[in-house]
Amino acid sequence: MVHHHAASTNLDSVAAAISHRTRRAIIDRLSRGPARISDVAQPFSMSLTGFCKHVRVLERAGLVRRTRRGRNNTLELAPQPLRDVAHWLLKYEQFWNSRLDRLQQFFAQQNQKAQQNQKER
């Protein structure tokens, strides 16, 4: 039960982290490779302090690793938490596919009935 709680808590923190477009943009940038924090922050119209708050949320969720060398801070994407979310979502793919298949059948039957009604008139 503890393992389930830990996994659920991590999913919660990752979901919260990726819920903001700035953090998703940071992830997108880091998916192309590690970069200095100042370079990643440059295109955003916010203070470096505000930007670093977003980075800390990503770090707490385990999505980003920061390496400090002297005055340089380098950010690197840690993709495993995203894989965990993707695996969790994929568990529900069969459920949704089944629902969509039934919906498609329903509409096909309705269309057939309508065509039969047209012929009878």
Side-chain angles (χ1 to χ4, degrees):
M1 188 66 165
V2 173
H3 176 68
H4 171 72
H5 177 70
S8 178
T9 301
N10 195 43
L11 282 176
D12 292 346
S13 66
V14 173
I18 64 176
S19 69
H20 196 281
R21 66 179 174 195
T22 297
R23 294 189 288 264
R24 289 191 306 271
I26 293 168
I27 290 170
D28 184 54
R29 167 52 192 90
L30 294 176
S31 71
R32 296 188 299 271
R36 290 183 349 192
I37 195 166
S38 56
D39 294 335
V40 178
Q42 191 273 328
F44 297 94
S45 58
M46 65 179 70
S47 68
L48 188 57
T49 302
F51 181 81
C52 285
K53 288 180 182 180
H54 286 291
V55 170
R56 280 193 294 279
V57 171
L58 293 168
E59 286 177 309
R60 282 193 297 269
L63 291 164
V64 168
R65 283 189 290 266
R66 184 190 313 222
T67 306
R68 291 182 177 97
R69 286 198 183 98
R71 297 180 75 171
N72 287 326
N73 287 297
T74 301
L75 299 177
E76 182 178 2
L77 181 64
Q80 187 58 48
L82 291 174
R83 285 187 196 112
D84 295 342
V85 171
H87 287 286
W88 183 82
L89 287 170
L90 284 174
K91 290 191 307 186
Y92 298 95
E93 183 177 25
Q94 184 177 357
F95 167 78
W96 286 112
N97 285 339
S98 169
R99 294 283 175 130
L100 291 172
D101 288 346
R102 283 187 275 166
L103 186 60
Q104 185 177 14
Q105 279 179 328
F106 171 78
F107 283 121
Q109 289 170 350
Q110 294 301 310
N111 190 28
Q112 235 176 6
K113 287 178 185 177
Q115 287 175 357
Q116 286 175 349
N117 288 339
Q118 282 288 3
K119 287 180 184 178
E120 292 173 2
R121 291 183 193 173

